[in-house]
Amino acid sequence: MSKAFFIDTSKCTACRGCQVACKEWHNNPATETKQVGTHQNPQDLNYHTYKLVRFSEKEVDNKLHWLFFADQCRHCVVPPCKEVADMDVEGAILLDEETGCVLFTEKTAELSDPEGPIYACPYNIPRKDPDSNRLAKCDMCLDRVQNGLKPACVQSCPTGTMNFGDYDEMKELAEKRLAEIKKTRPAAVIGDPDFHRCFVLFETDPALYHDYAVASADVPGPLGRRTMLANVSRPFK
Ligand code: SF4
Ligand code: SF4
Ligand code: SF4
């Protein structure tokens, strides 16, 4: 049975425990930042930051809301990043059959066009090391998962926002929670539930959380939402 995340943003307090745990587990260095008037820190994902808690201040129903979203790779069912990389360097991006994890390898440094997988990602996730040209992103903590442990971000989350387990179990959990939340938040949705292995519950319009919270319907060509939907009709569990 393949794996999935359930990210319940309605429970997130933006403590950033997940962000720090991700860095610690991967031995990734801190990113030097400066205050620019937001608590989001660093300002974006980067080669050494696979998990980023996004802060968005938006007016919803005439009230100012602080919306938190722990962003990461969604581990797409038919990953556009891999489809592009496969045309260039075989094995640069792998798909682990057992878990469904999309894994970037050191061979991404050999891609003739490292921007290809970056451009292909509907969620704007991969980042490039300017020195080596290698690409990096969330690896589902595959080393932990293969040894029966939860991903570091899930293990560290104190509120129940981050969940991880068998695909069907996470799907059921997400649908149950959505039904509960909808009683008070009718606009709540699970973002792109058929595209990937990351059920993200948004309490309101996902676009208010982040420009790339859900795949854009208007991306032209082979990487658009329509093509992704057609692709996910392939069996994947
Ligand atoms: Fe939110 Fe949990 Fe991450 Fe804290 S650890 S920022 S509550 S997802
Ligand atoms: Fe690839 Fe982006 Fe999908 Fe992650 S979210 S698997 S980087 S296309
Ligand atoms: Fe980071 Fe692992 Fe969580 Fe991915 S699954 S965001 S690599 S801690």
Side-chain angles (χ1 to χ4, degrees):
M1 172 68 70
S2 64
K3 301 294 183 187
F5 294 86
F6 168 41
I7 303 180
D8 182 353
T9 68
S10 72
K11 292 184 175 175
C12 183
T13 59
C15 69
R16 282 186 284 226
C18 53
Q19 191 176 310
V20 172
C22 180
K23 279 213 180 245
E24 277 190 339
W25 185 255
H26 294 87
N27 211 15
N28 276 338
T31 305
E32 197 170 328
T33 60
K34 57 181 180 183
Q35 176 55 261
V36 294
T38 166
H39 285 275
Q40 188 171 307
N41 190 13
Q43 287 308 296
D44 202 0
L45 294 167
N46 59 51
Y47 183 71
H48 292 123
T49 305
Y50 309 157
K51 179 91 175 169
L52 176 68
V53 180
R54 297 192 180 275
F55 291 61
S56 169
E57 287 175 66
K58 289 279 161 39
E59 201 176 295
V60 182
D61 300 332
N62 298 319
K63 284 187 200 153
L64 193 62
H65 284 258
W66 221 5
L67 304 171
F68 307 138
F69 168 37
D71 196 8
Q72 63 170 81
C73 170
R74 313 296 200 276
H75 297 277
C76 297
V77 173
V78 182
C81 58
K82 175 170 162 52
E83 302 229 317
V84 168
D86 283 351
M87 291 188 276
D88 191 347
V89 176
E90 201 181 328
I93 298 179
L94 303 175
L95 180 60
D96 180 59
E97 291 295 331
E98 197 180 342
T99 58
C101 168
V102 178
L103 199 61
F104 283 17
T105 73
E106 66 279 359
K107 281 183 145 190
T108 53
E110 298 168 23
L111 290 165
S112 61
D113 177 15
E115 304 294 332
I118 297 174
Y119 172 74
C121 175
Y123 304 100
N124 190 27
I125 296 295
R127 293 294 185 271
K128 186 177 70 170
D129 178 3
D131 298 325
S132 68
N133 270 352
R134 187 175 168 174
L135 301 178
K137 65 157 192 73
C138 159
D139 60 7
M140 201 189 261
C141 288
L142 194 58
D143 51 351
R144 292 176 61 93
V145 171
Q146 286 175 334
N147 284 287
L149 298 172
K150 290 179 179 169
C153 56
V154 176
Q155 185 69 44
S156 68
C157 178
T159 63
T161 303
M162 293 298 308
N163 302 271
F164 182 82
D166 287 345
Y167 181 92
D168 285 347
E169 184 198 343
M170 290 300 108
K171 186 170 192 274
E172 197 182 326
L173 197 60
E175 286 169 354
K176 199 169 155 203
R177 180 68 179 153
L178 178 66
E180 274 172 31
I181 290 280
K182 268 192 168 294
K183 290 177 194 161
T184 51
R185 299 274 187 171
V189 289
I190 304 287
D192 302 335
D194 300 322
F195 290 176
H196 48 64
R197 300 173 191 285
C198 209
F199 298 100
V200 186
L201 190 158
F202 298 100
E203 288 187 274
T204 185
D205 179 1
L208 296 176
Y209 289 74
H210 173 46
D211 286 349
Y212 298 96
V214 291
S216 170
D218 53 14
V219 175
L223 307 172
R225 174 179 287 187
R226 223 166 287 131
T227 308
M228 285 179 77
L229 270 174
N231 280 342
V232 295
S233 62
R234 299 181 202 168
F236 66 96
K237 278 191 280 174

